[in-house]
PDB file of all heavy atoms in Angstrom:
ATOM      1  N   MET A 867      88.576 105.796  75.206  1.00  0.00           N
ATOM      2  CA  MET A 867      89.875 105.283  75.314  1.00  0.00           C
ATOM      3  C   MET A 867      90.485 105.661  76.687  1.00  0.00           C
ATOM      4  O   MET A 867      90.327 106.792  77.123  1.00  0.00           O
ATOM      5  CB  MET A 867      90.726 105.893  74.198  1.00  0.00           C
ATOM      6  CG  MET A 867      92.129 105.448  74.211  1.00  0.00           C
ATOM      7  SD  MET A 867      92.835 105.764  72.581  1.00  0.00           S
ATOM      8  CE  MET A 867      94.338 104.890  72.791  1.00  0.00           C
ATOM      9  N   LYS A 872     100.269 110.171  85.237  1.00  0.00           N
ATOM     10  CA  LYS A 872     101.511 109.949  85.946  1.00  0.00           C
ATOM     11  C   LYS A 872     101.249 109.984  87.454  1.00  0.00           C
ATOM     12  O   LYS A 872     100.634 110.965  87.905  1.00  0.00           O
ATOM     13  CB  LYS A 872     102.523 111.037  85.570  1.00  0.00           C
ATOM     14  CG  LYS A 872     103.617 110.556  84.715  1.00  0.00           C
ATOM     15  CD  LYS A 872     104.608 111.684  84.494  1.00  0.00           C
ATOM     16  CE  LYS A 872     105.801 111.105  83.756  1.00  0.00           C
ATOM     17  NZ  LYS A 872     106.782 112.140  83.414  1.00  0.00           N
ATOM     18  N   THR A 905      99.241 102.945 101.659  1.00  0.00           N
ATOM     19  CA  THR A 905      99.814 103.205 100.342  1.00  0.00           C
ATOM     20  C   THR A 905      98.772 103.805  99.420  1.00  0.00           C
ATOM     21  O   THR A 905      97.650 103.356  99.310  1.00  0.00           O
ATOM     22  CB  THR A 905     100.388 101.896  99.685  1.00  0.00           C
ATOM     23  OG1 THR A 905     101.151 101.184 100.635  1.00  0.00           O
ATOM     24  CG2 THR A 905     101.177 102.192  98.462  1.00  0.00           C
TER      25      THR A 905
END
Side-chain angles (χ1 to χ4, degrees):
M867 180 160 189
K872 252 186 173 174
T905 313

